[in-house]
Each structure stands twice: as C-alpha cells, then as structure tokens.
Amino acid sequence: MSQRSAEIRLDTGELHRRLETLVYRVLSVRRSVQAPAQALAAHEGPDQYRFLRAVELIRNTSDELAFNFVMFAPPALSLLADEDWDEWVLYIMSRYDHGGVLSAIVAMQKVPEYVESVSGARFRVRFEDIARRLDPFVLGLNGRPLKLATAEHSYTDTGTLYLPVAVGRFRDRDRNARLYKTTAVHLWAQTWFGTWRRSVSEAVGRFPEPERALARFHALETLRLDACIGRELPGIRREMRGLCEDLDLPALPPGAWSDAARRLREPDATVEDSHALLARCYGVTEFPAPVPYQGRLVPDRAEQTLAARKTQDRQVLARVLADLKEQLPGGARPLASEDGDVERPFRVHKTPEPDGPDGFRFELTLHGEPIPPLADVRQLLDSIGQDLGQIPDDYLVPAGPGGYRPGDSGAGRDAGTDAGGGAHRYDEWDFMRRQYRTDWCLLRERDVHPLWDDFVARTRRKYMGLLKHLRRTFEAVRGQDRLLRRQPDGDDVDLDAVVQAYADRQAGFEGRDALFVKRRRVDRDIAVLFLVDMSGSTKGWVNELEREALVLLCEALETLGDRYGIYGFSGFTHRRCELFRIKRIDEAYSDEVRARIGGIQPKDYTRMGVAIRHLTRRFQEIDARTRLLITLSDGRPDDQDGYRGAYGIEDTRQALFEARHQGVHPFCITIDDEAMDYLPHMFGAANFTVISDVRKLPYRVSDIYRRITG
C-alpha cells in the first residue's frame, strides 16, 4: 500500500489536535487553530498530510512563521498542484529569511500570482540547471569577478549577481535560458559601465515620489546600458532584441523619452547623463515598457557593498604603496618638503585601453617614474577605477605616519549593523530545506589585539626539548628527495627493475631498458591556513594549550619554509560572525604576530561553516599547488540561533564540500571526546584526528602537520 493511499482523511477534531501540537509554543487565549482545522477538514487525506508536514518543516525555522502558515496557507492547497507544493513552501521560507513574518504572510496571500508564475513549469529553466554554464561565462566578462546567487528578483549589489531560482517567462526552454544569460549580462553592465558611481538613493530621494524617480532612472540606465552592451557584446545585444521582439513590447514613447534615448546611445554617454535627464523624464506620464532582462535596482544593497569595498580597497592600496615605497629605488625619499608640505610621491596616469570601461586604464608612477605593472597592483587600481571612475589623490597616500588608517572610514563599526563596516555576506546550507539561505551570514575580519607579555618566551622555555626535536624533524622534511624508479638513466641501479627485466628475458619477452633510480628534489609548493576555535568553550587551559601549540607550530614552520596563515573564528548568531587575523599568509612571523598569539582569547560561539567559506575564498587569492585548511577546535559547530545539532553539522559539511570543489584540502584536529559521532560525517574518515589527552595538544599539532604535508 502506498503512503498516499494510507493517508486517510482526518476530521476537524484530529486536525485541531495535531495543529495545536505543532504550534503550541505560540498559542494563547486569543490565538486558536480551530478555523484552519475546519478549513483543512474539507480536503482529502493526502492534502491534509502534506500541509501538516509543511508546518512541521517550517516550525524548525520559526514557531511564529509556522502559526501564520497554519492561519493563512490552507487556501493554497486548492490552488497548487502536488508537484508545486514543496517548492512553494520553500519560497515562503525564503521570503521569511529576507523579510520576516510579514513578508511571508504577503506571499501566502498571493498564491494566484505564484501559480501563474509557475504555470509554464515544463518550460522553466532552474538556476541550478544553468549555473555551471553561466558561472564561467560571467567570469569571462570584464571587471572584477562576480558571484552568482539566487533571490526573489534579479538585481546586483555590485559584488554578486542575484538571479531567480527559476525562469519561465517564455514557453520555450531555450528562450528562458537566454533570459538568464542576458539578465546576468545586463546586471554586470551596471557594475562595469558605472551605474553606481554616484549615489542613486540620494538622487531619487530629491523627488517627491522616490519610487517613481527610481523607476524612471532605471529606464534611462537601461537605454544607456543596452547601447554599451551593443558596442562591446553585439551578439548578446542581438539576443536581447530577440527576446523583446518575442514579447512584442511597445515602441519607445515619443518626445522626452525618444530624445533621451538618442543622447544615451551616444558612445560618450555616462551615468551622469542619466541623472541629468531624470528631471525631464520624471514628470512624463508615458513610460517605456520594462524589458525582460533588466531586473531591478536595489540602491541600498548596492551602496552598502560598494562602501565596504571602497574602504577595503583603500586600506589595501595604502599598504601596497607603503611596501612599494620601501622596495623601489627612490622610494625612501622623505614625504615632507622643506616648507613642510606633504609630498605625494605616487601618481596615476591614464593610458588608452580599449577593454577598459572608460577606454583607458590607470598606471602608477613613483616620483614621476613608471612602476612595473605588477598584477596585484593593477587589479587593485582597476577595482577602484571601476567603482569611482578615477583614483582620488587621497587614495595614493602610503600607510604610515600621515597616511590612511583603517579606522578612518568606520571599518570597525559595531558588528550588529547590516552590511556596512566591511562585512562579507555568505550563504548558509539549510539541510531541512535542501537549499541555501541566501546571504544569511554576515562575517567581519578583525585583528587580534596583541598582548605584549612573555607568553611566547615562556612557551619556548617550557618546550625547549620538544622544539629542538620538531625543528630537526622539519628540516628532514624540507630536505627530502623523491625516488623516481624505472628510469632510463639515473643515480643508482633499480634492483627491482633489474630482476623484472631478467625474468622477462628468461621468459622470452623483450627486456626493458629503464633500470635506474633517479633522485629529484621535492618542490614544496604548499600554502596552509590554520583555523583556530576561539569560542567561549575554549576558556581556561584549553585556550592556553591552543596558544602553546601555535607557538610550536610557527617555530617549526619557519624552519620548513611553507607559507602559512593563522585565523581564529567565533561569533554570536548569523548576523555577527567574526574571523580574527592572527597571521596573514604573506606576513612574517614577527614580534607583532607573536603578541597576537599571546592575545588569543575565548569569545562567543562556534559557527564553523561561514569561517570555512571565507578562508576558501581567501585561498582563491593564493597561488599554490597544494592548499590545506587545518581546523583546530575543541567541539562541534554551535551557535545561539539554532546553529547546533544536525543543522550546524550539515552546514559545516556542505562548506567543506565547497572547499574541496575549489581545490582546498580540509583537515581537523579536535580534542572533543564525542568527536567520533560527527567528524567522520563532516570531514571524511581520513581527514581528522582526535587528541584524547588535551595536555598532548602542543606535542601533536606539529607532528600531525608534518604527516599530512610531508
């Protein structure tokens, strides 16, 4: 007997009892589930049971959302087919993630619109079906790399292109796939051709009806960007025209809009022209029909991301200029002239570049002399130029006395704020829904406050004998040669090959000539990032032993010569995830780093997945044949807002899958006695080790590192 046939119809009383059991935490005298129980009683058994299963799933996210689902969702059973029900439930939960209970209730009340949007289900193209083709295509476009993610509507925050979970506008799968591609290109064009170089929020806020002004500004920019795409990507522009023709969109209104289009299609038109024309087009009643690929403008999200990136790029450029000033000939000249004015030794000059968004690119000079075009410097200048259209003079001050300081632009604002203050947004895997919660985690990088005491010196004295042994062991690893057997020439005879060749000749086969062994020096092209648990559970002697282990590890790694970085992680809920910089991978093992190790202190909770995703992204900036991510933790994933148990374990496991997909090899060292319950599932059977005696931690960490990299 099938499950559906066994699901017999429930009466009102039984439905009332089951609903109360599911949402009892939020029931009160004024809150009753009697009415929805009566409504559900009119449905067949299978429909009743799929409704109850949905309530149970939603309850895992929010009791309040589950109660409102019970109250508002029963009519959806009559409107949605079985095959669309589960996807609609996930859609409701996604609306809750991004807009709270009220947004989810509005979506529940708009089931007819949702049904209409999925009516062409067999022609729909899902994001997951096209992402593998679309991702490399977007990566090949000019400008900074852009991520792809899903959202309810298409838009960009200048760092990510957000596209719908599914597209079914056309009754043709090929056209729907082209709509995905052309939408991605149009959103990319906003970032490449300067839509966000001037605050859109401020511009539209000057009008009596900002939403009306935003819609007209978007129409003007669409005209300009269409023309830009036509010049740079004529094939894509032809596809855009084809989609518009398929929808039989009306022609552009005459008068102000036609005049605006003529100006915005000129090769020298910029976003400033769109702003200038907005005042004229704002009051015009007629309005151009939206084209299918234009998406939406979301100024708040774009300007938050842009502000964070500007702060970060400015900080990085200040550090790069300081390094260049020290390294290049003539760089050490004083910054102040005889009359006391600050000299600016660095300048930028524009050189023609057809592939640039403005037809040029920036080149850096020091005291008037061109600087060799270093790839990382050029990429940084291109990023700033893409956002601003120029490199401001105050960006060209090296870090140091009188230079730019990281705190000048509020980079260290309170972690509870939204996307400001240099926050990075990351998806989080919800295994119950079997989909990501888009942009769910906000992570900020912070420096560990250095503690200038004698902790490192004490640790060296305490483990003097072990440290000598580790250094000798790591020196042996560094000096290893690899034996290549069965070579046509070499340093010694390969006895196994000789025996095999003799046996072959005796048996009448042709003998082999590869009878030698050759020694080849091992090339250790390794980069390692250590991720250290700084949650509150490490308080006390665990924290002490973690720091001692890091001191021993650093001392040994300095002997080996591998590139390595150390980061700590902690946080409090998905809105305040923190990664603490202890040693960057390109940073020397200095007194400052030693003081940061001494300053490692327990913080809050153990939200592991977002930290793994962030360091995986950091690895993409590192050129190394072997990339290792080694986590040092005292327990399982855990956080205040439900990130514990199966949820936290499954998200961490998914983050580790993503890391392996990016060529990163994860490994875990833990001191949790119960680790065997979850670590094999998360890391894989061969990718972790449990240290049963926490006092042996400093002894084992360096040894384990040697084993997995030797």
Side-chain angles (χ1 to χ4, degrees), residues 107-296:
M108 294 177 208
Q109 295 173 328
K110 292 185 175 181
V111 179
E113 290 90 334
Y114 180 87
V115 172
E116 183 178 352
S117 71
V118 301
S119 59
R122 62 194 179 97
F123 302 112
R124 279 185 302 170
V125 175
R126 297 180 60 83
F127 177 82
E128 62 188 33
D129 298 330
I130 201 171
R132 290 185 179 179
R133 285 183 289 152
L134 197 58
D135 192 43
F137 171 77
V138 170
L139 189 63
L141 296 172
N142 283 328
R144 72 174 59 85
L146 297 167
K147 288 174 54 183
L148 293 177
T150 57
E152 183 181 356
H153 302 291
S154 301
Y155 73 96
T156 182
D157 65 357
T158 76
T160 301
L161 307 183
Y162 291 94
L163 300 169
V165 175
V167 168
R169 178 105 184 239
F170 298 94
R171 301 188 69 79
D172 179 289
R173 286 184 58 84
D174 180 64
R175 286 188 178 88
N176 287 325
R178 276 186 277 160
L179 182 54
Y180 257 125
K181 183 171 70 171
T182 53
T183 301
V185 169
H186 210 270
L187 296 176
W188 158 80
Q190 292 179 20
T191 71
W192 182 242
F193 294 110
T195 296
W196 303 104
R197 286 181 181 172
R198 178 176 164 188
S199 174
V200 176
S201 298
E202 291 181 8
V204 302
R206 298 190 182 101
F207 291 87
E209 299 178 50
E211 289 297 324
R212 176 188 177 96
L214 181 63
R216 274 132 183 88
F217 175 76
H218 194 184
L220 291 166
E221 272 295 273
T222 298
L223 292 171
R224 184 179 75 89
L225 296 178
D226 279 350
C228 292
I229 293 168
R231 289 188 290 271
E232 185 150 331
L233 301 169
I236 297 293
R237 182 68 188 122
R238 284 194 294 272
E239 291 188 29
M240 290 175 167
R241 289 197 188 96
L243 295 176
C244 293
E245 291 169 0
D246 291 340
L247 294 174
D248 196 23
L249 297 180
L252 196 68
W257 285 103
S258 294
D259 294 343
R262 279 193 292 273
R263 171 61 194 130
L264 294 174
R265 288 166 180 161
E266 293 292 328
D268 63 342
T270 69
V271 69
E272 294 300 330
D273 294 289
S274 295
H275 282 287
L277 291 164
L278 178 58
R280 181 179 177 188
C281 295
Y282 173 79
V284 178
T285 304
E286 290 184 287
F287 185 70
V291 292
Y293 48 78
Q294 73 181 49
R296 296 190 177 190

Side-chain angles (χ1 to χ4, degrees), residues 311-340:
T311 298
Q312 182 177 355
D313 284 352
R314 187 174 179 180
Q315 291 175 351
V316 175
L317 182 60
R319 291 198 298 268
V320 168
L321 295 181
D323 292 341
L324 289 174
K325 187 173 179 297
E326 294 297 324
Q327 297 168 8
L328 295 175
R333 286 167 47 181
L335 288 178
S337 60
E338 293 181 357
D339 58 6

Side-chain angles (χ1 to χ4, degrees), residues 391-587:
I391 310 294
D393 287 342
D394 56 359
Y395 273 56
L396 298 174
V397 179
Y404 177 72
R405 295 292 185 183
D408 291 348
S409 296
R413 284 183 290 177
D414 177 65
T417 58
D418 194 19
H424 303 267
R425 294 177 178 271
Y426 286 97
D427 299 345
E428 187 170 273
W429 178 252
D430 187 332
F431 82 106
M432 294 290 291
R433 308 184 196 182
R434 299 197 62 76
Q435 67 175 200
Y436 287 98
R437 303 176 87 160
T438 306
D439 283 349
W440 186 244
C441 294
L442 292 180
L443 179 141
R444 289 168 179 80
E445 283 195 18
R446 304 190 183 283
D447 283 323
V448 171
H449 183 70
L451 181 62
W452 299 95
D453 62 4
D454 63 343
F455 174 78
V456 173
R458 290 199 318 268
T459 302
R460 285 170 171 166
R461 290 194 299 269
K462 180 178 177 181
Y463 297 100
M464 185 181 301
L466 174 63
L467 195 51
K468 290 180 180 178
H469 169 72
L470 289 174
R471 284 172 175 160
R472 286 196 299 269
T473 304
F474 275 55
E475 285 172 355
V477 173
R478 182 185 61 188
Q480 281 180 349
D481 287 341
R482 181 182 175 189
L483 290 179
L484 301 180
R485 298 187 178 277
R486 300 183 185 279
Q487 301 297 305
D489 58 75
D491 307 309
D492 205 346
V493 174
D494 187 341
L495 292 178
D496 290 339
V498 171
V499 171
Q500 183 65 50
Y502 177 78
D504 288 344
R505 287 195 179 95
Q506 291 296 105
F509 299 111
E510 182 179 351
R512 301 178 184 179
D513 296 329
L515 305 176
F516 298 91
V517 172
K518 181 182 293 184
R519 297 182 182 275
R520 190 180 72 181
R521 178 70 65 181
V522 174
D523 181 15
R524 292 184 61 83
D525 187 11
I526 296 174
V528 188
L529 293 181
F530 293 91
L531 183 61
V532 182
D533 188 348
M534 288 175 56
S535 63
S537 61
T538 63
K539 186 176 182 180
W541 66 327
V542 173
N543 173 259
E544 179 87 1
L545 290 166
E546 275 188 343
R547 292 185 293 146
E548 290 179 348
L550 290 176
V551 170
L552 296 178
L553 190 61
C554 290
E555 298 286 338
L557 285 171
E558 289 300 304
T559 301
L560 189 58
D562 287 352
R563 290 176 291 165
Y564 67 99
I566 305 173
Y567 293 83
F569 73 100
S570 185
F572 184 79
T573 78
H574 66 100
R575 297 184 64 79
R576 204 190 78 184
C577 306
E578 294 175 321
L579 196 78
F580 297 91
R581 294 176 291 245
I582 302 166
K583 179 187 178 299
R584 299 176 181 86
I585 197 162
D586 56 352
E587 189 174 9

Side-chain angles (χ1 to χ4, degrees), residues 36-78:
Q38 291 175 344
L40 287 172
H43 290 273
E44 296 297 323
D47 290 337
Q48 294 173 342
Y49 279 93
R50 65 180 165 120
F51 188 91
L52 293 171
R53 285 192 291 269
V55 177
E56 187 173 8
L57 173 65
I58 293 172
R59 183 184 62 171
N60 292 323
T61 295
S62 166
D63 290 312
E64 186 67 23
L65 177 62
F67 172 77
N68 282 281
F69 186 85
V70 169
M71 299 304 295
F72 291 101
L77 285 171
S78 302

